[in-house]
Amino acid sequence: MDDRIQHVLMAEDDDEDFDLLSDAINELSIEVALARAGNGDVLMKMLHREIPDMLFLDILMPCRDGKDCLREIRADKKFDDLPVIVYTSLKDMETEEFCYGKGANLFVYKPHSFSELTGVVQRIFSLNWRKVRYFPKRSDFVLNP
């Protein structure tokens, strides 16, 4: 079995945020297929058709928000090995605590610059997700640029 992350799904309703993540992945020459779910309902339909190797999950989405999606994902055993990286502009401790408690693997505030974003993406993809189910201590849960 190939241990590399090959298929990444991003749940994101904002075109610019999706394009920036895609550009950062390309800038770092990370070879993955990046797909997009534009809202929470589409995300859950896509996940039930095919489980990606990694999920970037926005919190503020139409139809069904990221919190509802995270709750549903972690309630279903078939998604136990899916790394979920919360990727949000919503800055509040309550959301961080919720996501940590519901089993997200990492929490990333959307960086303010492209160089910060590439640094964060590099760190995320440098983790060996296939060999180790990465659930950090609370103090390491938020990945800062």
Side-chain angles (χ1 to χ4, degrees):
M1 179 167 105
D2 194 334
D3 286 340
R4 293 178 300 130
I5 298 293
Q6 296 177 335
H7 177 224
V8 176
L9 179 57
M10 183 178 195
E12 176 61 65
D13 61 312
D14 185 276
D15 293 339
E16 185 176 330
D17 285 338
F18 176 78
D19 291 342
L20 283 170
L21 184 69
S22 179
D23 290 346
I25 289 170
N26 290 333
E27 175 83 14
L28 295 166
S29 300
I30 299 170
E31 295 183 24
V32 297
L34 180 64
R36 178 181 178 193
N39 66 55
D41 287 342
V42 171
L43 168 64
M44 296 314 298
K45 288 176 187 169
M46 290 175 76
L47 286 176
H48 286 290
R49 281 195 305 263
E50 180 182 0
I51 301 173
D53 297 319
M54 179 182 288
L55 172 64
F56 282 83
L57 178 64
D58 189 18
I59 294 295
L60 300 174
M61 292 186 297
C63 300
R64 188 182 319 184
D65 70 13
K67 287 181 178 181
D68 286 341
C69 293
L70 179 60
R71 195 180 290 115
E72 186 174 336
I73 289 165
R74 289 304 185 224
D76 191 329
K77 293 255 184 242
K78 76 179 176 185
F79 300 122
D80 279 357
D81 292 330
L82 174 63
V84 177
I85 293 89
V86 174
Y87 185 71
T88 185
S89 56
L90 185 63
K91 294 190 179 203
D92 70 88
M93 188 60 76
E94 182 182 323
T95 301
E96 280 182 34
E97 291 297 331
F98 174 88
C99 293
Y100 185 76
K102 292 299 178 190
N105 299 86
L106 286 174
F107 191 95
V108 178
Y109 289 112
K110 292 178 182 177
H112 297 291
S113 72
F114 188 71
S115 64
E116 288 178 348
L117 176 58
T118 56
V120 166
V121 168
Q122 179 66 48
R123 288 167 60 195
I124 289 169
F125 280 91
S126 69
L127 293 169
N128 192 338
W129 293 99
R130 294 283 196 197
K131 293 196 189 256
V132 179
R133 287 188 61 207
Y134 184 76
F135 287 99
K137 299 178 295 186
R138 177 63 183 97
S139 59
D140 298 328
F141 178 62
V142 178
L143 191 60
N144 290 308

